[in-house]
Amino acid sequence: SITIENVNDKKAIELNQQQLIKGYDSNGNEMPEYSKKTKQIKAETGGFLSPSGRIALKDEGDFFNDMRVFKEPDFFALTSEDQKTNMLIDRYGKDVLGLTEKDSETIIQETRTKTIEEIEKRIYT
């Protein structure tokens, strides 16, 4: 659909990353907390430690940097091309990739103006 075509990939990825950094999956469930040992290692090595104190899946940045938006006519989904993706999904659940209902609505609302312009263009030209 025109709406899905107009989804801003960069914005959708940023929203998914922000919710992970805040410590939540796409259903709003809390990610597990870092162990004390992991916190200590990250402090010593300068690794990423989320402000929430919960796992954000951003340790080396590969999972975040390889996030992509997959579009079909009726939906869009977030994926990651990182080789650890399947392992991370097995460990933390499939809902680490995706947007909350609120963020999905934000993305769709932002596409509305561009979608209307494209429909008008198709009708009137």
Side-chain angles (χ1 to χ4, degrees):
S1 87
I2 297 171
T3 301
I4 298 300
E5 291 171 21
N6 288 325
V7 166
N8 181 330
D9 294 7
K10 183 179 177 188
K11 176 77 173 196
I13 290 168
E14 286 173 357
L15 288 170
N16 193 171
Q17 292 170 342
Q18 288 170 10
Q19 74 194 24
L20 285 169
I21 289 170
K22 290 175 185 173
Y24 297 95
D25 70 13
S26 62
N27 283 329
N29 297 320
E30 289 184 348
M31 295 291 287
E33 289 191 23
Y34 292 110
S35 68
K36 285 185 179 188
K37 181 172 178 109
T38 299
K39 288 179 184 179
Q40 180 182 2
I41 291 168
K42 287 179 177 288
E44 292 170 1
T45 63
F48 180 80
L49 185 62
S50 68
S52 69
R54 294 191 288 272
I55 293 170
L57 306 179
K58 189 183 175 180
D59 295 337
E60 296 175 18
D62 297 333
F63 181 73
F64 268 43
N65 294 336
D66 290 339
M67 284 184 169
R68 304 287 183 266
V69 176
F70 176 76
K71 295 177 181 175
E72 285 290 326
D74 296 335
F75 72 93
F76 71 94
L78 285 124
T79 63
S80 179
E81 296 175 354
D82 179 44
Q83 62 184 349
K84 297 180 297 296
T85 299
N86 288 335
M87 181 270 299
L88 294 172
I89 288 173
D90 287 345
R91 186 175 291 170
Y92 301 109
K94 64 179 174 41
D95 296 321
V96 295
L97 287 164
L99 300 178
T100 62
E101 264 187 57
K102 179 183 174 198
D103 286 346
S104 292
E105 186 61 29
T106 297
I107 288 293
I108 297 301
Q109 288 296 327
E110 288 181 3
T111 66
R112 186 165 278 153
T113 300
K114 191 170 182 182
T115 300
I116 290 169
E117 288 172 0
E118 283 197 30
I119 291 171
E120 288 174 345
K121 184 177 173 184
R122 290 180 187 188
I123 291 172
Y124 298 117
T125 55

